[in-house]
Amino acid sequence: MAGTQRRTAKRDVARKRSMTAGSRQRAGAVVALMVVLGLLAGCSGGSEPATSSPASAPVSSTASPSASTTATTTVAAAPYKPADQNGPAQNVPKPVKPALADEFSAEGLKAFAKYWYDAYNYGTATGDTSLAEAITSGTCIYCQGQFTDIKAWYQAKNWVMGGELTPTTIYIKNFAVAPNGSYQAVVQFNLASATLLKAGGVVERTAPESTALGGIFNAAYADHRWTTSDIGKIG
């Protein structure tokens, strides 16, 4: 009787270990999938993200003019440094919205969609999603979820290497209000390979490059500007 109970107990322990290992494997697969989709799940540990500042425009300081000459000293801006295993990206240039991106036209919508992805990539590289959030409606649940996950990842002192979304084609079949109340553009884009890093450059997860991805970009126009209202999959 005692021997039977011991064998049963051993089987129970083995089964629990197997279930735990399976759960960990499934959790790892979920995180990897989230990386591919751009949903960066937060964990603790890592390095402080660098404070971003534009790298393109030099900062100039002008000395007080004298009676004879005016001396000007130019201080070069710190160069952009991509993220690597030693730390997050530094001095990431902030994207600037072109005037066309506020125009109510098909070309304006295309320019706005491109700018939105630039603002999103800036958030992925720095943890600062404020640019993208400023031009995104709260109705875009997908977008808001991404912003939350990106901020949580960086606030936990982690960072991201790569993972940029690059639109290759933005197509508008009919510049008119769709049944959902938005103007729509079909966007084809590439996703660069991504690595999620933690303290000491420890690799948490990686995702390979993906090409020819597609989505439907929805935007609304009001007060002389566009706002992203939703981003959905094609099909």
Side-chain angles (χ1 to χ4, degrees):
M1 184 68 175
T4 301
Q5 290 177 339
R6 283 196 295 272
R7 287 194 295 273
T8 301
K10 288 181 179 179
R11 284 198 298 270
D12 289 342
V13 170
R15 185 164 54 251
K16 288 179 180 178
R17 288 177 177 172
S18 177
M19 291 174 65
T20 301
S23 298
R24 288 174 180 169
Q25 290 175 349
R26 288 192 294 273
V30 169
V31 173
L33 178 60
M34 290 171 76
V35 176
V36 174
L37 296 176
L39 299 174
L40 308 175
C43 299
S44 61
S47 174
E48 283 284 356
T51 301
S52 303
S53 59
S56 56
V59 179
S60 299
S61 60
T62 304
S64 300
S66 64
S68 57
T69 62
T70 299
T72 301
T73 302
T74 300
V75 179
Y80 164 64
K81 181 179 181 298
D84 56 27
Q85 285 197 278
N86 296 316
Q90 300 176 28
N91 309 307
V92 181
K94 282 188 176 182
V96 177
K97 182 167 70 170
L100 180 58
D102 284 329
E103 182 179 292
F104 182 64
S105 66
E107 292 304 312
L109 177 55
K110 289 179 182 180
F112 174 74
K114 183 180 183 304
Y115 172 70
W116 188 91
Y117 282 101
D118 288 342
Y120 171 81
N121 288 333
Y122 178 80
T124 301
T126 65
D128 178 6
T129 60
S130 60
L131 288 179
E133 289 187 73
I135 54 174
T136 304
S137 169
T139 61
C140 185
I141 305 303
Y142 172 83
C143 306
Q144 299 303 329
Q146 296 227 10
F147 300 151
T148 297
D149 291 336
I150 291 170
K151 287 186 290 187
W153 183 253
Y154 276 87
Q155 286 169 0
K157 301 182 180 181
N158 306 313
W159 69 95
V160 179
M161 183 168 62
E164 299 85 4
L165 294 171
T166 304
T168 55
T169 303
I170 302 177
Y171 172 71
I172 299 175
K173 181 178 181 180
N174 183 26
F175 184 68
V177 178
N180 66 355
S182 298
Y183 290 81
Q184 295 183 330
V186 176
V187 180
Q188 182 171 307
F189 56 88
N190 296 333
L191 172 64
S193 59
T195 303
L196 274 66
L197 295 127
K198 299 172 68 176
V202 176
V203 175
E204 173 72 9
R205 290 290 165 189
T206 62
E209 177 186 15
S210 298
T211 60
L213 303 173
I216 299 178
F217 187 88
N218 293 264
Y221 193 84
D223 298 326
H224 308 290
R225 71 187 191 101
W226 291 101
T227 303
T228 305
S229 55
D230 190 27
I231 296 179
K233 294 181 180 179
I234 295 176

